[in-house]
Amino acid sequence: MITHEPTRASRTRRSFSAALCLSAVLLTGGSALAAGSSDSDAERVERWKDIAKSIFGDRAIEATDTLIKVDAPPRALDAALVPITLMMPEKDRIAAIHLVIDDNPSPYAAHITFGPAADPSEVKLRVRINNYTNVHAVAETKDGKLYEAVKFVKASGGCSAPMGMSDEEALKGAGDMRMKFAEGGQGKPSEATLMIRHPNFSGMQMNQITRDYTPARYINKLDVTANGKLVFSMNGDISIASNPVINFGLAPDAKGPIKVVASDNQQGRWEHSFNPPGPSN
């Protein structure tokens, strides 16, 4: 589970949820600079150093343009639904990936660990982005080394954007799931798209009726298996967009059924099984 240390957000804890008050951005006693569109490259570099140390400690992180790549829009059309694609061309070397949105209130967006039933060449998901920010993707190889890629995205207000409906409406059907499959062909990996109904409340969204902040409630753990073998396990946080959609690859020899177990930070738990079409069944 992703954990966080107190930040400046704790000053407003009566209005914001406790989850928001915990962030990986400052384990340095308040040395990181406030995020903003006018920050210099040097300020962003220093912020990333603070965040990386809080997540990875003293482990070295090397830049790469081959092990992992980040595709994201330079300017988001909707800051609450920003599409992110993580590409791992040397997929056989990859054990896990870490997604960090530097200037979000809780930067550590997701940690995805791949299992034997995965094809880790590409992962797509949608995130919230709260400010002009660098988005870091860190690949962890099977020999324990870390490699990073970065993309700058212009967006604002994604973490506080209202749902456009009441909290009760947003929670209706929470945990409902659907999955779509795209066959890769004989002996080739196939692609799956998982859709989960869940508002993923960030703790920063204001209830338009009561004018109070909606407490954070978000999917923090997701496990996907194929016939009992792990495809991937994801720890998530408030940066994952509402009604999560995750596109991932299945190994050519992955067999059905595909089982999904999701849980949130308020003890919600849901599971569902899907039968992939064709020879994977």
Side-chain angles (χ1 to χ4, degrees):
M1 182 175 180
I2 300 174
T3 58
H4 311 284
E5 291 295 329
T7 71
R8 296 184 185 92
S10 62
R11 299 172 186 171
T12 57
R13 63 169 58 101
R14 292 184 180 179
S15 298
F16 286 62
S17 72
L20 177 61
C21 300
L22 303 175
S23 172
V25 70
L26 296 180
L27 288 185
T28 57
S31 63
L33 300 169
S37 59
S38 62
D39 288 353
S40 67
D41 289 343
E43 288 170 333
R44 296 187 186 281
V45 168
E46 287 304 309
R47 185 177 300 114
W48 169 238
K49 287 180 180 178
D50 288 344
I51 296 170
K53 185 174 180 61
S54 74
I55 297 172
F56 304 107
D58 295 327
R59 298 172 67 186
I61 306 176
E62 299 180 35
T64 182
D65 57 5
T66 58
L67 281 175
I68 189 164
K69 301 181 180 184
V70 184
D71 184 31
R75 184 182 293 274
L77 295 176
D78 185 343
L81 290 169
V82 183
I84 299 286
T85 300
L86 306 176
M87 296 162 285
M88 286 68 69
E90 298 181 43
K91 61 183 182 180
D92 292 337
R93 296 180 60 187
I94 306 301
I97 52 177
H98 307 258
L99 179 63
V100 181
I101 304 172
D102 294 16
D103 293 328
N104 271 11
S106 186
Y108 198 1
H111 176 207
I112 300 174
T113 302
F114 298 105
D119 175 76
S121 57
E122 184 176 275
V123 174
K124 297 179 182 179
L125 68 168
R126 304 184 303 184
V127 300
R128 298 176 170 123
I129 293 183
N130 211 52
N131 211 330
Y132 287 31
T133 185
N134 282 331
V135 175
H136 279 89
V138 178
E140 186 165 358
T141 56
K142 293 177 180 178
D143 59 2
K145 295 182 179 179
L146 301 173
Y147 299 86
E148 65 166 305
V150 62
K151 186 71 177 282
F152 184 71
V153 178
K154 295 179 179 179
S156 181
C159 292
S160 58
M163 292 285 295
M165 62 184 74
S166 70
D167 296 350
E168 292 75 20
E169 289 176 308
L171 281 165
K172 282 182 180 178
D176 289 350
M177 302 182 200
R178 290 188 296 155
M179 187 175 288
K180 296 180 180 179
F181 298 92
E183 284 296 318
Q186 186 67 31
K188 295 182 179 180
S190 57
E191 190 176 274
T193 302
L194 172 64
M195 294 155 279
I196 305 176
R197 183 169 178 81
H198 196 288
N200 265 16
F201 291 132
S202 68
M204 297 177 64
Q205 296 150 313
M206 181 178 287
N207 185 303
Q208 300 301 299
I209 297 174
T210 67
R211 309 305 290 175
D212 292 328
Y213 288 98
T214 300
R217 183 169 185 177
Y218 54 90
I219 292 175
N220 60 357
K221 190 73 167 67
L222 184 62
D223 292 307
V224 179
T225 56
N227 202 30
K229 293 183 178 180
L230 181 67
V231 180
F232 73 89
S233 179
M234 185 180 88
N235 291 332
D237 214 312
I238 65 170
S239 294
I240 303 299
S242 61
N243 298 319
V245 176
I246 302 172
N247 185 281
F248 59 94
L250 293 163
D253 59 351
K255 305 295 182 181
I258 309 299
K259 182 180 178 181
V260 181
V261 179
S263 57
D264 69 19
N265 66 318
Q266 298 295 331
Q267 287 72 57
R269 186 183 184 277
W270 307 271
E271 63 177 77
H272 197 88
S273 291
F274 303 89
N275 289 316
S280 295
N281 205 0

